[in-house]
Amino acid sequence: MKTTRRDFIKISSLGAGTIALGTPAIKFLAGADDSENKGKSGAVTRTPNYCEVCFWNCAGWVYKNEEGKIWKIIGNEDDPHSYGRFCPRGTGGVGMYYDEDRLKTPLMRVGEPGNQTYKEISWDEAFEHIAGKMKEIGGKYGNESIALFKHGSSGKHFGKLMSAFGSTNQAGPAYAQCKGPREEAFALTFGEPLHSPEPLDIRDTKCLVLIGSHLGENMHNGQVQEMSEAIDKGVTVITVDPRLSTAASKSKFWLPIKPATDTALLLAWINVIINEELYDKEYVDKLTIGLDKLKDHVQQYTPEWAYGITTIEPSQIRATAKAMADASPSVIVHPGRHATWYGDDTQRIRAIAILNALLGSYGRRGGFYLPTKAKLPGFPSEKNPNPAWSWRDIEPEKYPFASDGVTNLLVDGSHPDYKGKHSIKAWFVIGTNLPVSIPNTKRTVEAMDNQEFIVVIDTMPTEITGYADIVLPECTYLERYDDIRVSPHREPNIALRMPAAEPKYESKPAWWMAKELAKRLGLDAYFNFENYSEVLDWQLKQIGSSLEEMKKIGVKKFEREFDDLYFAPGEIPEFFTGSGKIELYSSELAAYGFDPMPVYKPLPEPEAGFYRLIYGRAPMHTFSRTANNPNLTDLMKENSVWINPKVAKEWDLKNDQKIWLKNQDGAISSFPIKVRVTERIRWDSVYMVHGFGHKDKRLSRAFGHGLMDTEMITNVLIDKESGGTGMRSNFVTFLTEKPEKEVQS
Ligand SMILES: Nc1nc2c(c(=O)[nH]1)N[C@H]1C(S)=C(S)[C@@H](COP(=O)(O)OP(=O)(O)OC[C@H]3O[C@@H](n4cnc5c(=O)[nH]c(N)nc54)[C@H](O)[C@@H]3O)O[C@H]1N2
Ligand SMILES: Nc1nc2c(c(=O)[nH]1)N[C@H]1C(S)=C(S)[C@@H](COP(=O)(O)OP(=O)(O)OC[C@H]3O[C@@H](n4cnc5c(=O)[nH]c(N)nc54)[C@H](O)[C@@H]3O)O[C@H]1N2
Ligand code: SF4
Ligand SMILES: [Mo]
């Protein structure tokens, strides 16, 4: 039966469990339908914004009703990230604004560190105290000893403040807990990382290979919509996943691989494509380097060899290799995004990059297009001082290919067991819930306990705020200006975020906090504006627009400067690699003592009675940030643990039964989780959605609902090239009785 876009979208929402479709406020991928506004009085107003519920940053319109209350958010039709439609989380962003559990005032810890009692203080007191501490700690150990952990738009404002203060010890989970290894693997192969949104020409592809990138549950909007379009046009989807994901259920081929063995499958595919001469000869000949070496290298990796490792039949491996080659060059072996799986992640994604190179998909229609972006000049400001050292110096030999701050390296430099010269003594944390986003929470907490001072800037009382000496309440993205969104895409485009309402309670935007702190640190010159709108207006005017114009249109697209969305026929481009070619064999990796071509290395297996813990996304939630959102908890209030019927039978587990989990290191979950017995998961693994099982009681809807996967992730396999933290190396067993354990909040 032919699948239509409508089916795909419907199924992707049903596949993930219990959600009520059609509630007026939240529709799945709600369109930019304005009809509800027709006939209303002129008092209905709309302001442009781009969504912060996830980092796809879709641009949309925030509507206020006749009473001036924020009422709904819909997509902006000119926006290439959303194509005018929002996902349930984006629509539900309204709930973030109305959440009555929000942080409301600045808070200061009362009493000893570790004591979680806070008193309300004024903004003035907060800034005086923080600036005093920064000067004191900076004076004792150097300004570099103050680190910044950040994620999201508001992190950038504190990034500016810290750089002006003299610390480039800045990092976010979007690198070492997410796409770090992928970025380095693509940079090593093609000379450039992929960035976000990834330049995948999904709408024109003929074959899409998803290797644990579960589009449909991973709701990266533009990609999901382009995939739906491709499905309408009859694309061949090949999904490699130990779980029958939504995408797998829509695929021509589902390869239910044994987890942790993907590199073996990728190498076998490379073997078939080279040996059966299925690769794009002209492209490989002219644009790449190292084919002969690669050919020799993969002779050992036959489909028959891979079968014993991956459990995927050789005939399936050959058939899928053929399907990719038939579609070449309009084929995408999806690079994934959350790439930190098994500690061999740069190498695994190098295999993906190599496969794309052999298929000639990079720079070709239906493969990877060549993105472009608007050139928005920075607001004039003082030059930053040169710090004496930075995150790389914490462990100079480690992670030579890391091109961005490594969060876990900052944790290492903050930990009491650190013996080097470059200790971290204080943390600023903005927009990231570190105890749940960085694996091995115990170590993160030890590092925090070892700090002289911690400031957390958040919108909600999530776990991280409990470790702060000072908590600063940020207003939501619906109540503030932030930087213009400038992202790479098929055409240059920009989007505006502006406040739709005044900040609720005493919350404030991060740009204002950074500016106020700068004032008290004598760094005013770096923040020489009164309101952030001045910065935006100045920048926009440099590129022929203005704040006034952007307030009306929200998104502006520009012409592409050159007609170079794809390589021209016969063109031999130069790549930013050492050789100027696409490197099938990487001399750079070899020079640093790493495998120049990917090698399969077996990983530890679970003991009897234990199952590999794998995790992923649900369409209606983002990480841990939405678990308390009233609109989204209505759609899904807790996660469940997927268990294969064979295993459930052995353990006598029933659907909806509540169980606790224990991992290989004896870590026991704080809360129980409901069992979901399903054929959709292999017998050797269990699966859950990340982001539930909150431990802070101030999150009234999220506290104690479901289980936090991070609690079970104590064994971390670090990618030696990039520093990415592999998190899928943990094994759990089931406890059917409530364990003796105190739950702390
Ligand atoms: N176990 C496990 N760990 C993971 C993952 C996983 O799947 N499982 N996924 C990894 C991936 S891919 C990523 S990208 C990271 C994500 O890591 P994080 O971005 O740390 O994820 P969240 O859990 O959503 O935490 C976001 C925090 O920012 C706050 N926040 C939200 N909006 C704002 C705002 O506008 N201003 C401010 N100041 N704060 C705000 C939220 O309240 C919350 O405390 O996690 C990584 N870690
Ligand atoms: N709704 C929603 N969408 C999101 C987010 C969100 O929080 N919510 N977060 C966004 C962010 S920042 C990121 S990084 C992306 C992450 O999303 P992706 O990069 O697309 O996916 P992952 O989370 O790595 O992959 C999860 C899938 O990998 C499968 N898997 C587990 N182990 C293995 C294995 O060994 N081999 C293979 N082949 N598959 C395996 C799981 O069964 C699951 O289906 O999602 C983005 N989109
Ligand atoms: S994909 Fe959804 S949550 Fe993410 S930015 Fe777009 S609308 Fe917001
Ligand atoms: Mo991510």
Side-chain angles (χ1 to χ4, degrees), residues 417-534:
D417 73 10
Y418 178 65
K419 299 283 179 289
K421 285 190 293 193
H422 300 300
S423 293
I424 302 287
K425 300 292 184 184
W427 288 16
F428 276 69
V429 184
I430 178 162
T432 172
N433 194 7
L434 299 177
V436 312
S437 350
I438 304 186
N440 194 350
T441 311
K442 182 168 165 278
R443 188 168 170 82
T444 311
V445 170
E446 285 162 0
M448 289 195 279
D449 286 345
N450 195 40
Q451 297 306 293
E452 295 193 8
F453 189 54
I454 300 182
V455 179
V456 173
I457 301 111
D458 207 296
T459 50
M460 296 296 298
T462 41
E463 285 73 5
I464 183 67
T465 60
Y467 297 92
D469 296 295
I470 300 275
V471 180
L472 302 178
E474 185 167 37
C475 55
T476 68
Y477 66 103
L478 301 174
E479 305 158 279
R480 65 185 199 229
Y481 283 108
D482 265 314
D483 283 314
I484 301 288
R485 185 199 77 191
V486 184
S487 50
H489 217 279
R490 292 184 178 97
E491 293 168 284
N493 67 88
I494 55 170
L496 174 69
R497 167 177 296 162
M498 66 171 288
E502 284 295 308
K504 262 184 182 260
Y505 316 111
E506 284 184 47
S507 67
K508 292 281 188 188
W511 67 257
W512 178 82
M513 299 177 208
K515 180 177 157 56
E516 288 296 314
L517 269 172
K519 222 187 269 177
R520 289 160 176 90
L521 293 164
L523 301 171
D524 315 49
Y526 293 88
F527 293 81
N528 49 352
F529 52 84
E530 276 310 305
N531 192 297
Y532 212 62
S533 58
E534 290 164 41

